[in-house]
Amino acid sequence: MLVIFQLGTLACLGWLVLSIRDRFRKASLAGAVERVNSLHPLMLLVAYILPLFLAVGAFKVGLLPDPTASGLNGTYFNIVLQLVQILIILLLIRHVFAGGLATSFSLNPRELANDGARSVVSWLCVMPIALGLLVVVEDILTSHGIEIPKHPSIENMKTFSFNGKLLVAFSASVLAPLAEELFYRGLLQTMLRKWVSAWAAILITSAIFVAAHVGLHNTWPSLLFLSVVLGYSYERTGRLTSPILIHSLFNATSVVNLLFFQSA
């Protein structure tokens, strides 16, 4: 993590120096890409609740393991839930966006290369700031005698076999970022853009994103910063590729460090 912190600091400083001339102009998001769609709040509610309803129904009839049981059962359940949510949101985007899936994704090699490069630089910039915020918040909480919360699922997963940890890492680093970016940026932030400015949509979406991670109050400032970066990246490019990759790299770094390099 220290190496990533150092590389991230250098990358962020280099990026600022090289782009300082037009950084303030672009930060206004005045030319943010418009995404014509017929999204309705009820559609977001369906995209959020229907996957959970279907997964719980599958458990009730014996098609899925008990998500509250010990071991990898909870992970299997979450993976199915994530896959169902991803499928439902992709179908929704295809039908309610004027350009279909092409509105949010691009197969253009040049755009893919740009999104990939942007994602790596953004990730390197995000990590040292997010880690710094986490350290500061935990120091403040500790100094006031407030216990630092630990994610119970992560603590349980540390006891898994190596293959089990790989499965958890895949869920957290690939499926979770894809599902969350499709919902929060692809649907929620896009819908909010109908009524508010780009920056207002980013901040409202980020507040909801942080609130969804209830119980881990020590991570809220870091998650808020990450979410703002993800939302900004989406508005700047008009595509979900970059925020998905940034989110995936962020989660992968955090989860791999927790599962493989910290003692149980």
Side-chain angles (χ1 to χ4, degrees), residues 66-86:
D66 184 355
T68 63
S70 59
L72 285 170
N73 285 340
T75 302
Y76 294 137
F77 182 90
N78 285 334
I79 287 176
V80 173
L81 177 62
Q82 290 165 337
L83 289 172
V84 172
Q85 186 176 39
I86 289 168

Side-chain angles (χ1 to χ4, degrees), residues 125-148:
C125 290
V126 164
M127 287 307 297
I129 298 175
L131 289 172
L133 287 172
L134 182 64
V135 170
V136 169
V137 170
E138 290 189 347
D139 283 346
I140 293 173
L141 292 176
T142 302
S143 66
H144 287 79
I146 302 174
E147 184 179 357
I148 305 300

Side-chain angles (χ1 to χ4, degrees), residues 241-258:
T241 311
S242 187
I244 288 172
L245 289 174
I246 297 169
H247 197 158
S248 181
L249 288 168
F250 181 89
N251 279 16
T253 306
S254 303
V255 171
V256 169
N257 178 63
L258 286 169

